Amino acid sequence: MMKRIVALLLAALMIVGLLAGCNTTEPQPTQGAEPTNAPDPTQGQDDPTEPAVFSYPMAGGELTFWQWINGNVSANYPSFEATPEAALLEEATGVKVDWIDDHSNTDEAFQLMTTDEKLPDLIGHGWLGYPGGTTGAFEDGLCIKLNDVIDQYMPNFKAYLEAHPDIDKMIKDDNGDYYFLPYVNAASGAYTYGSYIRGDMLAELGGEVPTTVEGWYELLTAAKEKYDMAPYTVTWADLLTKSFVAYAYGVGDGEYRVDDNGKVVYNRTSAEYKAFLETMAKWYAEGLLDPDVASIATADVRAKVINGEAFMSAGWLTSAVQPVEQASDEWEIVPVATPVVNAGDVATDTYVSWLIGGNGVVITPDCENVELAARYLDFWYSEAGILLSNFGKEGVSYTMVNGVPTYTDEVLYGYEEGWTQSQSTARYSTMVSGYYAQIKHEAYYPQLLGEQSIKDAVTVWSSVEGGGYKHKMPNVSYTSDESAEIGRYNTNLKTTADEWALNFILGTVSFDQWDTYVEEMKALGYEEAVVITQAAVDRYNAR
């Protein structure tokens, strides 16, 4: 614990929040006498050597739980503890939780919390993104190893991992050790971002949705001429990493991808990336791409489509696309699948999230009742816990309809004026936040998508070979040394690549300078970054 203690002194002297801690010995689960919250193992048993069957609610106990509060909760409640869902969780588990909600949602707040003299019992965070991964968090004294804890106190979670070896592979480290309990997405909630067009304008333009990049060039050109507009609007960050054209060239999702042979490719220096930039530069020069693409905000993108100032855009399904659909009865949105560069090719890339994104909960070394914490977290992976964390209480916030848990109309449509649907469901669901240990139910996301065109979007966006996972980088774990090195490389590389991309697309730099750009990226270490990432991928594949 010396590193964390030293960090406390430095924090007091320098008034800065530092990530800290080092614990080279594995904290052990509670041993000896039964915790006061646990049932008497001999009660009601003829044979006192035979353990009692565990059940919820437990006989009391208290835990502290730090996590970032989701905006859908904080918009109407001072903390998660004030929601109906928090009361339902306490009733179901028998555990009183002191929810330490951080409203800033910043890394600085997390770092400051880790320098406190005593850590909370539980911390919700993006643990796979921690420097050194979950192993790094353990070495820094922020969590305990869970292998034995899972075996002793977490039968629901253990059974889930045994039934889902793909999830098991994603959450353990390269040594096979477990340090956090994950937020697990549902397959139905993996496709939440994509491109779309105004259906009424498409009908006036002939009604055919192109399947090639060249076909889109022709359609956008026709839209520009007919409506006297720049037909394609999207934010700059989304254009480079999540646009339908970037996925057509196989360079969406940022810096890295895995090729057909399992080798890591750095996207931003590849021939495919150059071809993508050349296409975007052509579209920009010919007025097909929003002239404000370098600075336009998400709200303005949405407004342009609604006001008829743009024909095509992209965004998150419920927060960006659905509002456009609902803005008028005069149109429907038409979701757009990833096109191909050459006719006859097969599209393989689209926006899709891994079922494990890296968020979840750890038990800290300062937790004095590991069994209580483990039993509490294990509830979230039980059948009752999954229903409660997704939908709240049956008969109150949901009913069973043909065997499917279904939100009541009051939750979906009868909320207070000024609220959003997401804020309404957040009263009875923890799914709006990824910083819990929980499993998203397959029925949760689809019922939030009211219009048929919005439901269709999930199907259309996912309609690529392999569901978009074929070339997607896995959630690898870097060692602590690798994390520091890759972080330095990636920051400099991304900043430089973004600057060059802007100049290429806006036409302020000629593509004759491409080799100069690549040489600059090489000097900044993109080849070394690939070597580090390849090693992490190889270790991941060997798990």
Side-chain angles (χ1 to χ4, degrees):
M1 300 295 294
M2 286 301 299
K3 280 178 63 179
R4 186 151 66 84
I5 294 171
V6 170
L8 279 167
L9 297 175
L10 290 174
L13 293 171
M14 301 175 66
I15 319 178
V16 294
L18 298 174
L19 277 171
C22 180
N23 189 345
T24 56
T25 61
E26 178 185 344
Q28 296 299 314
T30 303
Q31 302 291 333
E34 284 289 325
T36 57
N37 64 283
D40 183 349
T42 64
Q43 186 175 2
Q45 299 287 335
D46 294 331
D47 182 357
T49 64
E50 188 174 327
V53 176
F54 182 84
S55 64
Y56 297 98
M58 291 181 275
E62 297 186 7
L63 295 169
T64 53
F65 193 151
W66 186 97
Q67 45 93 48
W68 284 312
I69 188 170
N70 185 273
N72 289 310
V73 174
S74 61
N76 301 297
Y77 295 97
S79 71
F80 175 75
E81 189 170 1
T83 65
E85 177 73 359
L88 293 175
L89 281 165
E90 182 175 343
E91 178 186 2
T93 63
V95 178
K96 171 67 176 176
V97 175
D98 178 10
W99 297 95
I100 309 170
D101 299 327
D102 179 72
H103 289 247
S104 67
N105 287 8
T106 63
D107 288 338
E108 289 78 11
F110 171 80
Q111 293 166 9
L112 184 62
M113 177 272 297
T114 64
T115 64
D116 286 346
E117 184 176 356
K118 187 177 189 300
L119 293 172
D121 298 314
L122 307 172
I123 301 175
H125 184 58
W127 292 107
L128 290 185
Y130 186 88
T134 54
T135 310
F138 172 69
E139 292 172 348
D140 286 347
L142 297 182
C143 61
I144 66 172
K145 188 182 293 186
L146 296 175
N147 297 48
D148 292 339
V149 176
I150 293 170
D151 286 340
Q152 294 180 60
Y153 305 130
M154 307 191 76
N156 295 304
F157 183 62
K158 183 175 182 179
Y160 180 80
L161 293 184
E162 290 173 349
H164 299 84
D166 54 332
I167 301 298
D168 180 68
K169 181 177 180 178
M170 291 181 190
I171 68 165
K172 62 188 177 185
D173 73 355
D174 295 328
N175 297 317
D177 292 324
Y178 303 89
Y179 296 103
F180 83 117
L181 286 300
Y183 168 90
V184 184
N185 199 4
S188 60
Y191 301 92
T192 55
Y193 181 98
S195 297
Y196 66 95
I197 51 181
R198 281 262 303 256
D200 57 329
M201 293 181 179
L202 177 66
E204 294 175 350
L205 293 167
E208 293 292 327
V209 178
T211 58
T212 65
V213 173
E214 181 62 26
W216 276 106
Y217 169 75
E218 295 172 357
L219 179 62
L220 292 174
T221 299
K224 174 180 179 292
E225 294 173 351
K226 182 173 180 63
Y227 300 110
D228 189 26
M229 63 154 101
Y232 181 32
T233 182
V234 68
T235 66
W236 176 249
D238 288 357
L239 177 71
L240 291 186
T241 61
K242 294 195 287 290
S243 68
F244 77 127
V245 188
Y247 283 121
Y249 284 96
V251 294
D253 286 347
E255 313 307 302
Y256 304 95
R257 71 178 186 273
V258 178
D259 68 15
D260 291 339
N261 299 313
K263 298 301 181 183
V264 174
V265 176
Y266 187 72
N267 281 333
R268 309 288 286 267
T269 55
S270 67
E272 294 83 1
Y273 183 67
K274 180 184 180 183
F276 160 65
L277 292 181
E278 288 174 330
T279 297
M280 292 297 93
K282 178 180 179 180
W283 288 15
Y284 183 84
E286 297 186 17
L288 306 183
L289 183 59
D290 194 326
D292 300 323
V293 65
S295 59
I296 192 168
T298 300
D300 295 325
V301 165
R302 188 167 59 241
K304 282 192 174 185
V305 180
I306 292 173
N307 296 334
E309 300 172 44
F311 164 60
M312 180 178 197
S313 188
W316 298 105
L317 188 53
T318 56
S319 63
V321 185
Q322 195 168 35
V324 174
E325 172 65 61
Q326 296 172 342
S328 175
D329 293 333
E330 297 179 4
W331 66 70
E332 289 185 345
I333 65 98
V334 176
V336 170
T338 302
V340 295
V341 176
N342 303 304
D345 289 350
V346 177
T348 59
D349 294 351
T350 190
Y351 175 84
V352 60
S353 59
W354 289 110
L355 298 189
I356 297 294
N359 295 338
V361 180
V362 299
I363 301 175
T364 74
D366 290 340
C367 178
E368 297 177 359
N369 194 333
V370 171
E371 179 179 356
L372 178 69
R375 298 284 193 190
Y376 174 76
L377 293 175
D378 194 50
F379 172 78
W380 296 65
Y381 297 94
S382 67
E383 182 177 356
I386 293 171
L387 286 173
L388 179 56
S389 60
N390 278 263
F391 304 106
K393 185 172 184 177
E394 186 174 6
V396 175
S397 52
Y398 80 94
T399 58
M400 298 299 292
V401 179
N402 297 323
V404 178
T406 306
Y407 276 123
T408 63
D409 287 347
E410 186 273 332
V411 172
L412 289 179
Y413 311 112
Y415 42 86
E416 297 180 38
E417 183 177 354
W419 287 43
T420 66
Q421 186 183 72
S422 294
Q423 291 169 6
S424 180
T425 58
R427 293 177 293 167
Y428 295 102
S429 174
T430 59
M431 290 301 121
V432 295
S433 177
Y435 298 104
Y436 301 105
Q438 58 189 0
I439 299 174
K440 181 176 283 187
H441 197 287
E442 288 293 343
Y444 170 79
Y445 193 66
Q447 62 186 283
L448 305 183
L449 312 178
E451 296 78 14
Q452 187 58 48
S453 60
I454 301 299
K455 296 179 187 294
D456 291 343
V458 175
T459 301
V460 171
W461 293 344
S462 64
S463 61
V464 297
E465 185 181 83
Y469 290 107
K470 186 175 183 180
H471 299 133
K472 188 175 180 65
M473 272 288 297
N475 286 321
V476 299
S477 295
Y478 294 107
T479 66
S480 295
D481 289 342
E482 288 174 341
S483 289
E485 197 169 2
I486 200 70
R488 183 175 67 254
Y489 284 135
N490 283 346
T491 298
N492 294 332
L493 288 168
K494 184 180 185 305
T495 299
T496 302
D498 284 351
E499 291 174 353
W500 278 89
L502 180 64
N503 289 321
F504 280 134
I505 290 177
L506 299 189
T508 55
V509 169
S510 167
F511 280 94
D512 292 341
Q513 297 297 307
W514 178 259
D515 289 344
T516 301
Y517 159 66
V518 172
E519 286 301 314
E520 183 173 345
M521 295 293 281
K522 186 179 296 184
L524 290 173
Y526 92 81
E527 292 174 320
E528 289 84 353
V530 168
V531 171
I532 293 171
T533 304
Q534 184 68 62
V537 169
D538 291 342
R539 292 196 303 269
Y540 176 87
N541 290 333
R543 290 180 183 176

